[in-house]
Amino acid sequence: MKTLYLDAFSGVSGDMFIGALLDLGVDIAQLRTELQKLPVHGYTLTADRVAKSAIYGTSFDVVLDHGEKDHGFIEHHHTHGPGEQPHAHHGRHLHDIVDLITASELSATVKRHAIAIFNDIGAAESRVHNVPLAEVHFHEVGALDSIVDIVGSCICLDLLHVDRVKCSTIADGSGFIEVAHGKMPVPVPAVAQMLSDRAIPVQQHPEVHTELLTPTGLGIVKEFVTEFGPLDAQSAVHKVGYGFGKRETGQFNALRAMLLTTGQSQKQTAAGHDQVTLLETNLDDQTAEGLSFAQEQLLAAGALDVYFTPIQMKKNRPGVKLSVLVTPADRDRFVTLMLKDTTAKGVRYTAFERTVMQRRFETVTYRGLPIRLKVATYQDIRRVTPEFEDCKLAAQKLDVSLETVMAAATALAR
Ligand SMILES: O=C([S-])c1cc(C(=O)S)c[n+]([C@@H]2O[C@H](COP(=O)(O)O)[C@@H](O)[C@H]2O)c1
Ligand code: NI
């Protein structure tokens, strides 16, 4: 399995993320070509390979034409004093940006991730400033920078072709920073709000008196990272890249990105044979809520599958068997997780050989909406399945039956 590991010892921002991925080898020409699919102009991308503290990395920047300054702030409609004129808001609303991305020729994957990140940041802004989501307003210049950073990050990750993204505990600074609308505490309010709906490990550094984790950086992490923690002992590090931050932090300010190979899937042959480990435990004293939580945790940690089987246990107790399928190299990590997140006192495991169909995604467009198709092949067997969630969304948006969308998507695949 190919993993991108983010070592966020100095936080994460959009620039740092793109810089780190370019440093890992993503082609900036391809990034530029993809970004040209968006009808936004007035900027140039720069990526310079420079040394900081004698360590070489990439300093990425979005340089706006005419030397305009990015205020880096999402404006909100706030109240004005008596006699005070509202300022002119030359900016873009969240839905303008979503429409812009949706209407572009970017890939369906890039669109989906970029829109999710914008929605997450927008929802936090809406909550922080107490304005309806529809009124969250991106400042004209800040919007351009955010669009390039967010869409650019999604493009870079797509070009890197990894199976999963893992991240260390994320560092942030402390104290206050000056932004367009005054002084803000660190973590900045949008970041604090974005941390409220998911368990993300962030550690503040009292000696760093500035911001290390930006709303854009956190949005990227929340969208792509499925596991937090240190480097896996079993991983092989193939490549390391550094993306430099712009702030003076008094320490080495970079995001370190590492390309790792984890587990056995790299041993999968063209014929589709590999090995998996099945971990199991029988439980008769765990609540349904606890079981559901454990399943979520195990899937988020990268399990290939997690499922329950009803069983009859001793003393006539109805119980469940928890089964967790993982790559062999992940076995011990998942034993620990199962002992931590369930009431199990022990976990048994068996190694299996298996044959799997090769799987890839294709996207078709049905009445203007993207539908992903899972294409599974093995020898001369080929099976195409439309993604249920995409069909559901299209059925709801177009007010047609789910069956109609699924049949149309399957026909388009042919
Ligand atoms: O929503 C945005 S982009 C935003 C909100 C806040 C609040 O805390 S509210 C603060 N900022 C600051 O702007 C710059 C640039 O942020 P990006 O995420 O666009 O790179 C940064 O200093 C943020 O803390 C932005
Ligand atoms: Ni105003």
Side-chain angles (χ1 to χ4, degrees), residues 1-227:
M1 189 193 301
K2 201 169 152 194
T3 300
L4 170 67
Y5 184 75
L6 302 174
D7 194 358
F9 51 76
S10 188
V12 189
S13 69
D15 284 356
M16 288 161 87
F17 184 81
I18 296 183
L21 267 59
L22 293 175
D23 213 47
L24 275 181
V26 168
D27 183 5
I28 193 165
Q30 275 186 281
L31 170 62
R32 287 194 178 107
T33 306
E34 286 302 306
L35 277 172
Q36 276 162 11
K37 294 179 178 173
L38 279 175
V40 292
H41 309 280
Y43 71 90
T44 313
L45 304 186
T46 62
D48 301 311
R49 201 122 211 289
V50 290
K52 299 227 169 141
S53 307
I55 310 290
Y56 270 83
T58 297
S59 182
F60 170 82
D61 210 354
V62 182
V63 182
L64 304 173
D65 290 359
H66 317 302
E68 280 178 287
K69 195 90 193 93
D70 171 20
H71 301 291
F73 193 81
I74 299 179
E75 284 201 343
H76 55 285
H77 294 275
H78 42 91
T79 49
H80 298 267
E84 195 187 337
Q85 289 302 308
H87 340 291
H89 287 290
H90 303 290
R92 286 190 167 107
H93 287 106
L94 182 60
H95 65 83
D96 296 324
I97 296 178
V98 170
D99 289 350
L100 186 97
I101 296 171
T102 307
S104 73
E105 293 294 314
L106 288 162
S107 79
T109 311
V110 168
K111 284 183 188 178
R112 187 162 43 86
H113 290 308
I115 290 172
I117 296 170
F118 267 109
N119 278 328
D120 190 31
I121 297 174
E125 278 289 298
S126 150
R127 174 82 195 198
V128 166
H129 302 301
N130 195 28
V131 291
L133 189 61
E135 283 173 34
V136 168
H137 194 265
F138 287 69
H139 184 277
E140 190 175 19
V141 182
L144 178 52
D145 190 70
S146 298
I147 292 168
V148 176
D149 273 355
I150 292 173
V151 177
S153 297
C154 298
I155 293 169
C156 285
L157 193 57
D158 206 39
L159 292 172
L160 201 63
H161 301 295
V162 293
D163 299 304
R164 66 168 188 155
V165 186
K166 181 173 175 175
C167 186
S168 67
T169 293
I170 308 170
D172 202 355
S174 61
F176 289 81
I177 57 160
E178 197 80 49
V179 295
H181 285 242
K183 275 196 166 184
M184 284 192 181
V186 176
V188 292
V191 164
Q193 185 59 41
M194 288 167 76
L195 291 172
S196 70
D197 61 358
R198 246 184 81 189
I200 312 262
V202 173
Q203 187 176 8
Q204 269 191 284
H205 290 250
E207 74 283 6
V208 178
H209 298 154
T210 186
E211 158 193 62
L212 300 177
L213 178 60
T214 66
T216 300
L218 182 55
I220 294 165
V221 166
K222 284 180 73 179
E223 180 61 14
F224 293 115
V225 172
T226 51
E227 190 187 343

Side-chain angles (χ1 to χ4, degrees), residues 362-379:
E362 282 175 11
T363 305
V364 292
T365 306
Y366 174 63
R367 292 176 57 187
L369 297 172
I371 314 267
R372 282 167 302 160
L373 304 164
K374 195 187 281 169
V375 183
T377 52
Y378 180 72
Q379 294 173 355

